[in-house]
Amino acid sequence: MSTTVETATEIRPFHAEIPQSEVDDLRRRLAATRWPDKETVGDASQGVQLARLKPLVDYWASDYDWRKGEAKLNALPQFVTEIDGLDIHFIHARSSHDDALPMIVTHGWPGSVFELLKIVEPLTNPPEGEDAFHLVIPSLPGFGFSARPAEPGWNPDRIARAWDELMHRLGYDEYVAQGGDWGAVVTEAMGRQAPAGLRAIHVNLPASVPPDVEAAINGTAPVPQLTDEERAAFDGLVAARKSGFFGYFLALTARPQDVGYGVTDSPVGLAALFFWHPGFATWSFGSDPNDPKSKDEVLDDISLYWLTNTAASSGRLYWEHGGAFPTSATALKVAEITVPVGVTVFGEDGFRPPESWTRRAYPTLVYVNTTEKGGHFAAWEQPELFSDEVRAAFKEVR
Amino acid sequence: MSTVETATAIDPFHVEIHDDQIAELRRRIAATRWPSKELVDDRSQGVQLAALKALADYWTNDYDFGRLEERLNDLPQFTTEIDGVDVHFIHVRSQHEDALPLVMTHGWPGSVIELLDSIGPLTDPTAHGGKAEDAFHLVLPSLPGYGFSGEPTEVGWYTGRVAQAWAELMHRLGYTRYVAQGGDQGAAVTDDMAHQGPDGLIAVHMNLLRAALGNTSNLPSQSDEEKAALEEIGTFRTSGFGYFLEQTTRPQTIGYALLDSPIALAGWMLDHDTDSYYKIARAFVDGQPTGGLTRDHVLDNITLYWLTATGASAARSYWEGGRATALAAGKAPPAVTIPVGFTTFPGEIFRAPRSWAETLYPTLVYFNKAEKGGHFAAWEEPEIFAQELRGAFSSLRNGRSS
């Protein structure tokens, strides 16, 4: 029996190598795209505009090189280990500093480990005198090179338990956790479970919206007394709900398989879905000098979903979660978190809760800050600033 | 003068599908890249992989691609430009000269295909167990952005504008006294026509209570029947509403996949309501169709969407509906003053009780609960559907001279 146990907890090195036939098939499909007519409006209110998607797809089909994206992953130590019956892929970048703090960082949707690559260097090899981290960056179940669950039940709570097991398996008895987007939901679940080794968490998509405000947004209660700052945040949330930004959230929550057919068979369908997400919708792919994300970076991420055929399986996380808004304090039960919590609100994210709400939501809050720069995918967009925030948040628990 | 004549001209229309279009479609179906199987044993994550794979198999190996062209070209078809959009329609006149003119509107994810089997019983009742005085002259338009109608290139084509176009169409065809019918989006168009009350429209019949889907707060909720209907609407709004919200908010987004992948299109169109989904899935997986919802009929409709490349433009009609609702916020439409008929089919998203139809249409003159049939009633049970229309409009025929 001992061999079974050993096999199950074994940590195997991993190297990404997508067969060339898959890469060729993607190009062939892109070249054969059958496009819809132009939308009937002059903005993105019907979805990503044809004139915006087409140049990106033209580049994807011609000059984009997946092997360069793959090389970015393979430049880092990657592993796979089976947890709770599922193979989990992760990057494990140890700092040369022995006193570095182990940290598990979780990506979101439609992101992937690609959104976190730029923080590896600043966090594992910081400037003189700054705190260092040992980084563990897993791919969520059903995402990227992690296996696709074949049974229901892989919700954020179960993922959170798997992450604690992963950290133990790596020999980290004391560690911290960080996440934005789905990564925040998983990280907050870890905070509620408070496993013995978890010292603290930091999130950059806080579930700060108080119950009375949430009810007012849903139209089931009157608008409570609000400060000017709170009022602005409230109006922003109401406008966002009305604008249809959350439609992808509802569609994936209700029927991930229906969306899955299109995004599995049509790479353009996949790209179009990603551009629904507020975090992607405003990116310029490098054509704006103030926007650091290049076309290649965006396409590395979309190609990873395509080439691992995880567009449908990743969407199922929404279904598993059951539709609770990740910004709602009640839905995410963040009042039950018992470990110290740090929160950073990045100033260019679509959701910017006032600090007063965050303080109400998290009883164990030890750090909160609002930055000027950085958006929904802050680690991707502003890796240095993101790293500074994480260091500041975890200063207290070192 | 010549401009005006051109604009109101009615041109014969003939469907022509080229072999290379069929070959391209077959190639794409054969090259489908499939997602992994859903994690559940029911439709709660969407259309099941086994159902869609069975559909793909039948589509490529057994389906006769010539059917669509033949079925449509067997019927008198026309196009005419109304309000800047070319409207395609089927126009079947009954041999009975005093037949009642009827404009009947399809829905989403339907098309004129869903109405074809009702043409015989409605225009030629004596051959279908009816009486000569039950006959209709039938006009079946394709909604703008659907099938062979033109695709609007500007915003504003919500159902109210379609309703105005239909009144113009009937007028252009020389019908000065006519009725209108619809389910799904067709019910929305017909409801708008009833509220607008154009000259010549004497009555309407619907088989979806459109207003109740949006708002049930003014409807009675005491009886068991009313409570059951409320519960059914609640279920739809919480778990069956995904396609509706997607198309209302981001039609272009889903449009990219619907234009590029025939299987994405088929999957998206199959997942409408629980009843029709399971009926269609059974037809493909077990070879057991329910009424007219046969494999061939279902694929006629999906093939039409594919070949006319209207997945995005049809989805956009929901966006227009959302925009129109937002613009009209708080403003009640003019009251309906013409007689209204309504039929509740048992497999519909919710089984509307008579009390709801009466509340929403004080001029209700006909209400019935059909024995069989679901959301696509005309498609599934054309004979029962035709019987309902005969019943709904019979009292008006008697008053014809008035």
Side-chain angles (χ1 to χ4, degrees):
Chain A
M1 288 309 287
S2 64
T3 55
T4 315
V5 174
E6 277 169 32
T7 312
T9 59
E10 187 190 6
I11 294 173
R12 293 117 57 195
F14 179 85
H15 187 82
E17 200 170 351
I18 298 287
Q20 189 56 37
S21 59
E22 295 287 320
V23 178
D24 293 343
D25 180 65
L26 169 57
R27 280 200 169 192
R28 189 190 59 69
R29 285 175 187 266
L30 288 167
T33 299
R34 200 174 80 131
W35 292 94
D37 285 323
K38 186 185 166 299
E39 63 284 348
T40 53
V41 289
D43 57 26
S45 65
Q46 292 183 346
V48 58
Q49 291 147 284
L50 188 66
R52 186 162 143 75
L53 193 54
K54 234 174 164 204
L56 183 73
V57 168
D58 288 344
Y59 178 79
W60 198 7
S62 54
D63 294 331
Y64 170 74
D65 183 358
W66 161 253
R67 296 300 174 200
K68 287 185 185 162
E70 202 172 62
K72 291 178 200 167
L73 294 178
N74 288 332
L76 296 164
Q78 295 171 89
F79 304 89
V80 168
T81 190
E82 187 189 319
I83 303 177
D84 198 3
L86 203 70
D87 270 351
I88 299 296
H89 163 263
F90 62 99
I91 294 166
H92 186 196
R94 279 186 64 85
S95 171
S96 59
H97 301 275
D98 285 339
D99 61 347
L101 182 63
M103 173 163 72
I104 183 162
V105 185
T106 310
H107 67 84
W109 186 98
S112 63
V113 292
F114 272 115
E115 66 178 274
L116 303 172
L117 298 186
K118 289 178 178 174
I119 59 169
V120 172
E121 182 61 20
L123 286 174
T124 60
N125 189 20
E128 189 68 32
E130 299 282 359
D131 293 334
F133 293 85
H134 298 308
L135 280 186
V136 177
I137 303 175
S139 295
L140 287 164
F143 286 67
F145 292 106
S146 279
R148 299 185 293 247
E151 51 170 19
W154 274 97
N155 54 39
D157 280 0
R158 185 163 171 188
I159 297 168
R161 286 190 291 271
W163 277 192
D164 179 57
E165 166 62 21
L166 175 60
M167 293 306 272
H168 280 290
R169 207 173 279 183
L170 292 171
Y172 295 133
D173 294 329
E174 296 215 320
Y175 65 92
V176 295
Q178 199 287 331
D181 197 87
W182 276 114
V185 179
V186 170
T187 302
E188 281 158 348
M190 294 177 78
R192 275 189 284 111
Q193 293 164 4
L198 182 65
R199 298 277 306 279
I201 64 169
H202 173 263
V203 294
N204 55 304
L205 180 69
S208 302
V209 179
D212 52 350
V213 176
E214 187 75 27
I217 292 168
N218 294 331
T220 55
V223 181
Q225 195 78 27
L226 298 170
T227 65
D228 287 352
E229 191 193 13
E230 291 169 345
R231 181 83 214 184
F234 173 79
D235 290 345
L237 286 166
V238 170
R241 294 269 170 106
K242 280 194 180 149
S243 75
F245 259 164
F246 294 101
Y248 77 94
F249 181 93
L250 300 168
L252 288 172
T253 300
R255 294 283 186 272
Q257 195 74 6
D258 290 345
V259 178
Y261 292 113
V263 297
T264 302
D265 193 35
S266 165
V268 167
L270 177 65
L273 178 67
F274 282 14
F275 279 83
W276 197 348
H277 191 284
F280 266 52
T282 54
W283 286 6
S284 71
F285 338 119
S287 61
D288 173 356
N290 295 317
D291 177 0
K293 297 165 301 294
S294 67
K295 284 191 290 240
D296 287 331
E297 281 177 72
V298 175
L299 291 173
D300 286 345
D301 182 66
I302 304 177
S303 299
L304 177 67
Y305 277 79
W306 179 268
L307 294 168
T308 55
N309 196 354
T310 50
S313 53
S314 59
R316 286 184 198 126
L317 181 54
Y318 288 82
W319 185 90
E320 290 286 356
H321 185 56
F325 273 118
T327 50
S328 158
T330 316
L332 282 254
K333 297 181 278 189
V334 294
E336 297 172 21
I337 296 175
T338 52
V339 301
V341 175
V343 167
T344 302
V345 173
F346 286 89
E348 292 166 330
D349 199 345
F351 172 61
R352 294 185 299 275
E355 289 187 8
S356 56
W357 288 357
T358 301
R359 288 183 199 285
R360 272 173 70 187
Y362 295 91
T364 53
L365 192 75
V366 294
Y367 178 86
V368 58
N369 189 31
T370 302
T371 68
E372 194 182 318
K373 286 192 168 302
H376 187 78
F377 296 102
W380 210 348
E381 299 166 23
Q382 296 289 339
E384 299 287 345
L385 176 62
F386 177 90
S387 301
D388 288 345
E389 282 300 310
V390 169
R391 264 193 285 269
F394 291 126
K395 201 102 202 156
E396 301 295 321
V397 298
R398 278 180 180 264
Chain B
M1 283 303 287
S2 63
T3 314
V4 173
E5 276 169 32
T6 311
T8 60
I10 294 174
D11 301 313
F13 180 83
H14 193 79
V15 175
E16 264 181 58
I17 296 166
H18 299 287
D19 289 346
D20 57 342
Q21 289 176 281
I22 303 297
E24 168 69 4
L25 169 55
R26 295 178 82 117
R27 188 193 65 69
R28 282 180 189 260
I29 301 168
T32 299
R33 191 169 174 268
W34 295 94
S36 51
K37 185 186 167 299
E38 67 283 352
L39 309 182
V40 291
D41 296 324
D42 55 25
R43 76 179 278 262
S44 64
Q45 289 190 336
V47 171
Q48 291 154 290
L49 188 66
L52 206 49
K53 280 197 160 170
L55 179 147
D57 181 57
Y58 189 84
W59 206 0
T60 42
N61 295 319
D62 301 300
Y63 179 69
D64 170 10
F65 283 92
R67 282 175 50 88
L68 179 64
E69 202 175 85
E70 280 170 30
R71 289 186 82 195
L72 289 173
N73 287 340
D74 273 351
L75 298 162
Q77 297 171 86
F78 305 89
T79 60
T80 189
E81 190 190 318
I82 303 177
D83 198 4
V85 168
D86 272 339
V87 173
H88 163 263
F89 62 100
I90 295 166
H91 185 195
V92 183
R93 280 187 64 87
S94 171
Q95 58 180 338
H96 305 287
E97 268 313 308
D98 55 353
L100 184 62
L102 164 65
V103 59
M104 201 154 87
T105 311
H106 66 85
W108 185 96
S111 64
V112 290
I113 297 289
E114 64 178 282
L115 306 174
L116 297 186
D117 282 352
S118 66
I119 293 175
L122 290 171
T123 61
D124 190 9
T126 50
H128 294 268
K131 300 186 293 266
E133 53 265 40
D134 292 330
F136 294 92
H137 297 309
L138 203 50
V139 178
L140 306 177
S142 297
L143 288 166
Y146 287 68
F148 292 103
S149 276
E151 179 177 327
T153 54
E154 54 171 8
V155 295
W157 274 95
Y158 73 110
T159 51
R161 185 159 167 188
V162 177
Q164 287 167 350
W166 279 193
E168 166 62 19
L169 175 61
M170 293 306 273
H171 173 75
R172 209 173 276 185
L173 292 171
Y175 293 130
T176 54
R177 195 167 181 280
Y178 64 93
V179 294
Q181 200 284 332
D184 195 84
Q185 289 274 350
V189 171
T190 305
D191 174 63
D192 282 332
M193 290 180 80
H195 283 287
Q196 290 168 6
D199 285 347
L201 180 67
I202 58 169
V204 296
H205 174 268
M206 287 160 285
N207 54 305
L208 179 73
L209 206 54
R210 171 216 202 171
L213 265 188
N215 180 10
T216 52
S217 61
N218 302 324
L219 299 173
S221 57
Q222 298 306 310
S223 73
D224 290 348
E225 216 182 7
E226 291 157 355
K227 284 178 189 155
L230 275 179
E231 198 170 309
E232 286 161 356
I233 289 178
T235 301
F236 177 70
R237 292 189 69 92
T238 51
S239 74
F241 217 36
Y243 80 90
F244 188 98
L245 291 168
E246 205 297 331
Q247 300 196 139
T248 303
T249 57
R250 293 290 184 272
Q252 191 76 7
T253 298
I254 194 69
Y256 291 106
L258 301 184
L259 268 283
D260 195 33
S261 163
I263 287 303
L265 179 68
W268 194 246
M269 291 172 70
L270 245 53
D271 196 357
H272 182 268
D273 60 285
T274 305
D275 177 70
S276 73
Y277 168 70
Y278 282 123
K279 284 171 177 168
I280 293 170
R282 258 199 310 277
F284 282 102
V285 175
D286 308 323
Q288 289 175 346
T290 306
L293 286 175
T294 65
R295 292 183 290 195
D296 287 334
H297 282 181
V298 169
L299 284 172
D300 288 346
N301 187 48
I302 298 171
T303 305
L304 174 71
Y305 271 71
W306 177 266
L307 293 174
T308 55
T310 46
S313 53
R316 214 175 276 140
S317 61
Y318 282 72
W319 185 91
E320 289 285 359
R323 180 174 177 270
T325 304
L327 290 176
K331 283 177 283 176
V336 176
T337 56
I338 56 173
V340 174
F342 190 87
T343 303
T344 294
F345 285 88
E348 186 53 276
I349 296 167
F350 64 101
R351 287 162 295 163
R354 177 192 285 268
S355 61
W356 287 14
E358 280 170 347
T359 304
L360 291 165
Y361 301 111
T363 53
L364 191 77
V365 295
Y366 178 88
F367 178 88
N368 191 34
K369 289 187 275 187
E371 256 175 58
K372 277 198 292 185
H375 184 77
F376 301 102
W379 206 358
E380 190 184 328
E381 300 292 346
E383 297 282 350
I384 295 174
F385 176 79
Q387 193 58 45
E388 286 302 309
L389 267 59
R390 289 173 197 156
F393 294 124
S394 65
S395 64
L396 298 160
R397 292 177 192 261
N398 301 336
R400 177 155 306 178
S401 56
S402 65

